Amino acid sequence: MTSRSLASFLTENLEALKANGLYNTIQSLEGPNGPVITIDGRELVNLSSNNYLGLANDDRLKQAAIRATEQYGAGSGAVRTINGTLQLHVELEEKLAKFKGTEAVLSYQSGFNCNMAAISAVMGPQDAILSDELNHASIIDGCRLSRAKVIRYSHSDMEDLRNKAKEARASGQYEKIMVITDGVFSMDGDIAKLPEIVDIAEQFDLITYVDDAHGSGVLGGGAGTVKHFGLSHKIDFQIGTLSKAVGVVGGYVAGSRELIDWLKVRSRPFLFSTALPPGAVAACIAAIDILHSSQELQSKLWDNARYLQEGLKKLGFSVGATETPITPCMIGDEAATQTFSQRLYEEGVYAKAIVFPTVPKGTGRVRNMPTAIHTRDMLDQALDAYERIGRELGLIH
Ligand code: PMP
């Protein structure tokens, strides 16, 4: 039986969310999460996944997962330090380290878990973290967990970062100071100013931490934002996810051998949560092999992203500050953004409305995620729908 105080808490808050249009209804897909998805028996062009390269549906990954599941079983059996580390986990980490150009890598069950694990393994109450105000929720939670003093700087504002780094260092209050940023910001698609961040870090002796969930597989020939700027030896922590461009599930920290040795003995999601299953690890290995051996999928992704972004701009829409395949179509008003996304759904296009509190008030946008496996016909179908609905709602003329 639910207690009365819990029942009233849940009812009141759920009703408030619904009344304010903030309750997210989750729809289930009747089939794979590909470039076209089926919901309630209807096919829709899917512009909402993070399956950048289409690898989630790639036969080579599926076959690798099946073979490893047959050989090793469905689960890895234990926490890795007890006896859950399979040869496959080690192979994946060695391949990832080579791919990222770092000494070592440690894999986790998700990208979210990496941020829970890595920040609190090195930072504590005696330290400070300079964090971009638009950093991902898992960074925010990871920082809180560490109990370090969190100092937010304005989004990609290097003047603000420099001033706050200077002040924190001059205060003499903190043992270690870290600067932490997304490599690619997930709601706008802009890239962190890593060369300036590295400069500031060198000047004020900051630990550097880049969460490259949306840059890995997309920038720097696939190796990510750090490689894109040629800064591989200047960043202490590189976080990657295995769930987006790599197409499977999991996350990893790439860095020095000493850092990885420390995480193995001090990061709690590694020490107290069961390792990734063999099928997933083998599929990730197959994906890294593909990324390493060919740029074909990355160039298709970028071609499709440019096509969609140019198409939207030609129609009179703004795609904001994006520098990557993440393609926000800026609408502004929250209600208009929700209506736009709903009309797209009715017209056979699945693209989510992103509104406050995920983004600042008045900056609602429909976020489009083109992938390497969308055909031009699919993108044209989406652009036609954008044109019709944009005119209907008076947003373009
Ligand atoms: N960091 C960033 C910047 C992300 O965008 C995401 C995914 N939304 C994550 C971490 C979490 O990754 P995962 O889905 O692998 O847990």
Side-chain angles (χ1 to χ4, degrees), residues 38-103:
T38 307
I39 299 175
D40 291 335
R42 283 178 64 233
E43 288 200 339
L44 299 116
V45 174
N46 180 16
L47 288 173
S48 286
S49 85
N50 294 316
N51 183 16
Y52 284 110
L53 303 174
L55 290 172
N57 319 98
D58 191 287
D59 229 25
R60 292 164 288 185
L61 272 71
K62 290 194 259 182
Q63 292 312 317
I66 291 166
R67 280 195 305 274
T69 305
E70 278 171 352
Q71 190 178 346
Y72 294 94
S76 56
V79 162
R80 287 188 58 185
T81 46
I82 297 178
N83 79 341
T85 297
L86 306 175
Q87 193 52 45
L88 278 177
H89 292 110
V90 178
E91 186 184 335
L92 173 64
E93 289 164 351
E94 283 171 355
K95 288 211 157 144
L96 280 169
K98 205 162 158 217
F99 188 54
K100 298 298 276 192
T102 59
E103 280 176 14

Side-chain angles (χ1 to χ4, degrees), residues 67-376:
R67 280 195 305 274
T69 305
E70 278 171 352
Q71 190 178 346
Y72 294 94
S76 56
V79 162
R80 287 188 58 185
T81 46
I82 297 178
N83 79 341
T85 297
L86 306 175
Q87 193 52 45
L88 278 177
H89 292 110
V90 178
E91 186 184 335
L92 173 64
E93 289 164 351
E94 283 171 355
K95 288 211 157 144
L96 280 169
K98 205 162 158 217
F99 188 54
K100 298 298 276 192
T102 59
E103 280 176 14
V105 157
L106 192 62
S107 63
Y108 289 86
Q109 304 84 350
S110 73
F112 202 104
N113 250 0
C114 287
N115 287 325
M116 295 298 106
I119 304 170
S120 59
V122 294
M123 303 302 278
Q126 69 288 359
D127 301 319
I129 303 175
L130 295 152
S131 177
D132 188 292
E133 66 178 339
L134 294 191
N135 277 343
H136 188 255
S138 56
I139 296 181
I140 296 169
D141 289 2
C143 289
R144 282 186 188 141
L145 196 60
S146 76
R147 293 182 293 140
K149 165 82 179 164
V150 179
I151 304 165
R152 294 204 319 167
Y153 61 92
S154 304
H155 176 52
S156 278
D157 181 339
M158 294 299 107
E159 190 61 25
D160 194 34
L161 172 61
R162 186 180 295 281
N163 289 337
K164 286 179 171 155
K166 190 174 177 185
E167 204 178 304
R169 191 46 87 203
S171 76
Q173 259 180 290
Y174 307 112
E175 274 179 26
K176 301 191 281 313
I177 307 178
M178 172 184 273
V179 55
I180 186 161
T181 182
D182 277 19
V184 172
F185 290 88
S186 55
M187 297 303 148
D188 291 279
D190 54 327
I191 304 175
K193 294 176 180 161
L194 292 188
E196 287 99 319
I197 290 177
V198 163
D199 255 12
I200 296 169
E202 284 180 347
Q203 191 178 349
F204 298 104
D205 185 27
L206 311 180
I207 299 166
T208 46
Y209 187 115
V210 177
D211 176 349
D212 211 17
H214 287 276
S216 303
V218 174
L219 288 170
T225 310
V226 173
K227 180 79 183 297
H228 167 79
F229 286 114
L231 292 169
S232 297
H233 300 293
K234 306 259 180 173
I235 301 292
D236 298 306
F237 289 76
Q238 288 188 61
I239 309 303
T241 171
L242 299 164
S243 65
K244 301 187 194 302
V246 174
V248 193
V249 71
Y252 59 92
V253 181
S256 69
R257 169 91 40 211
E258 260 192 325
L259 171 64
I260 299 308
D261 285 347
W262 179 250
L263 294 177
K264 282 181 182 167
V265 293
R266 274 294 178 277
S267 64
R268 295 167 72 82
F270 181 80
L271 291 167
F272 298 109
S273 182
T274 301
L276 283 169
V281 179
C284 289
I285 292 173
I288 301 302
D289 286 344
I290 294 168
L291 286 182
H292 222 160
S293 63
S294 154
Q295 294 289 307
E296 195 190 331
L297 291 172
Q298 282 103 312
S299 22
K300 280 195 184 151
L301 166 67
W302 280 92
D303 280 352
N304 279 344
R306 281 189 205 104
Y307 186 79
L308 184 67
Q309 291 177 5
E310 286 312 312
L312 286 170
K313 284 196 258 179
K314 261 191 226 142
L315 290 175
F317 289 109
S318 161
V319 294
T322 189
E323 302 170 84
T324 62
I326 295 173
T327 305
C329 179
M330 307 305 289
I331 309 285
D333 177 72
E334 281 71 30
T337 311
Q338 302 278 16
T339 306
F340 205 111
S341 167
Q342 178 57 31
R343 287 287 298 115
L344 282 169
Y345 183 77
E346 289 159 10
E347 299 279 332
V349 178
Y350 195 77
K352 289 299 259 186
I354 312 276
V355 294
F356 179 79
T358 308
V359 291
K361 269 210 173 104
T363 70
R365 77 278 318 259
V366 176
R367 193 178 64 152
N368 302 278
M369 304 293 274
T371 70
I373 52 169
H374 282 101
T375 62
R376 283 291 146 97

